[in-house]
Amino acid sequence: MKRRVFLSAAAAGCSALAGGESRVFAQTSPLAAGRSARTAPGTARSTILFFLSGGASHIDMWDMKPAAPLEYRGPFQPISTSAPGVTLCQHLPLLAQQAHHLALLNSIGGSVSTNDHHAGYYYNLTGHVPDSTFLSLGNNRTPYASDWPSMATVAGSRRPP
């Protein structure tokens, strides 16, 4: 599958999860707060989900907590971005120039705490609260036939065969 086809399918999946309405993003985006009330929300042309399972730590890239004690923050320095009040890691200067296009989520709440990321992956990729099997099985909890579909499945259902 070519990269552009994959990104288009991912965008279709995100649109489907939002009920096909890009206004949801425009109304909930922290970047939308700075717009005047007279300006109509824009229409998102595409969406890219960076799902970094096993990727870089958030404190090393997106949320370095420079005012926190040493044991709670990452080793890198924050830099200013094109979005007021948003800082990124010193190793992301090109992304910092484009930060006014981003919507960063710095907190996520959950009701099933497994002390790992497995239940969170399920919740974020399906939009449904994980059941109690995530507590008893942890990372051994594999998908069941009755589980909600992932975003990739939703995106795939919107593409021609």
Side-chain angles (χ1 to χ4, degrees), residues 26-102:
Q27 291 171 353
T28 59
S29 167
L31 300 176
R35 293 182 181 155
S36 73
R38 293 174 285 165
T39 304
T43 300
R45 291 184 300 259
S46 61
T47 302
I48 299 173
L49 169 67
F50 290 101
F51 185 74
L52 301 176
S53 177
S57 170
H58 69 96
I59 63 169
D60 292 336
M61 295 180 67
W62 313 102
D63 188 22
M64 293 163 291
K65 304 182 185 326
L70 277 173
E71 60 269 15
Y72 293 109
R73 62 182 177 204
F76 306 120
Q77 298 301 311
I79 59 172
S80 297
T81 67
S82 61
V86 175
T87 59
L88 295 177
C89 174
Q90 67 192 50
H91 299 295
L92 300 171
L94 298 178
L95 186 61
Q97 293 173 4
Q98 299 296 319
H100 58 283
H101 296 295
L102 300 176

Side-chain angles (χ1 to χ4, degrees), residues 6 9-10 12-17 49 51 120-128 143-158:
F6 172 76
C14 290
S15 296
L17 288 175
L49 169 67
F51 185 74
Y121 295 163
Y122 179 84
Y123 191 27
N124 284 310
L125 292 175
T126 65
H128 297 278
Y144 298 147
S146 59
D147 283 343
W148 293 92
S150 72
M151 287 177 41
T153 302
V154 174
S157 74
R158 303 291 183 235

